[in-house]
Amino acid sequence: QVQLVESGGNLVQAGGSLRLSCAASGYMFANLGMAWYRQAPGKEREVVATISSVGGTINYADSVKGRFIIFRDNAKQTVDLQMNSLKPEDTAVYYCNGVYRQFEWGQGTQVTVSS
């Protein structure tokens, strides 16, 4: 079993910033492409950003491009998401997981953006 622990979510006003962190264990983290996902109430989980195993390839959802930055530290087995210029539409529970190989979902971390 791979353990995924997300942290950093909070209540923030529109325009603010948050940094989310994902700590992974139980697998060779450096071999995994990783992603941040989010799920808003009543909506399906969606991919926010992806990063390849060594960080050379990064993709963002159109809705967050230019505002969010994904990065990873393989030595620490973490993948972080810097969230800037937050909007109310960013409100969701944020999760991390693999891109092509996914494991049991963690608890996620709640991000709430107020107007």
Side-chain angles (χ1 to χ4, degrees):
Q1 180 180 351
V2 171
Q3 294 182 344
L4 300 166
V5 181
E6 302 92 347
S7 62
N10 212 332
L11 172 64
V12 64
Q13 294 186 27
S17 298
L18 287 172
R19 180 174 174 175
L20 308 183
S21 184
C22 170
S25 63
Y27 194 77
M28 189 67 69
F29 178 81
N31 292 342
L32 293 174
M34 294 293 294
W36 278 97
Y37 304 80
R38 68 185 181 188
Q39 186 169 27
K43 300 183 67 177
E44 295 184 353
R45 184 159 44 217
E46 63 175 340
V47 178
V48 176
T50 64
I51 184 168
S52 60
S53 59
V54 296
T57 302
I58 294 173
N59 294 105
Y60 297 98
D62 288 342
S63 59
V64 307
K65 192 172 184 179
R67 299 187 297 119
F68 292 7
I69 302 171
I70 187 172
F71 53 99
R72 67 190 296 159
D73 186 331
N74 287 348
K76 296 182 174 65
Q77 298 195 152
T78 58
V79 55
D80 287 9
L81 185 70
Q82 178 66 47
M83 311 167 68
N84 301 315
S85 302
L86 284 162
K87 304 175 180 179
E89 66 188 60
D90 296 319
T91 296
V93 178
Y94 284 71
Y95 304 86
C96 64
N97 214 323
V99 177
Y100 300 105
R101 182 173 180 176
Q102 296 183 338
F103 304 93
E104 183 177 358
W105 297 94
Q107 294 296 310
T109 185
Q110 176 72 52
V111 173
T112 302
V113 184
S114 62
S115 301

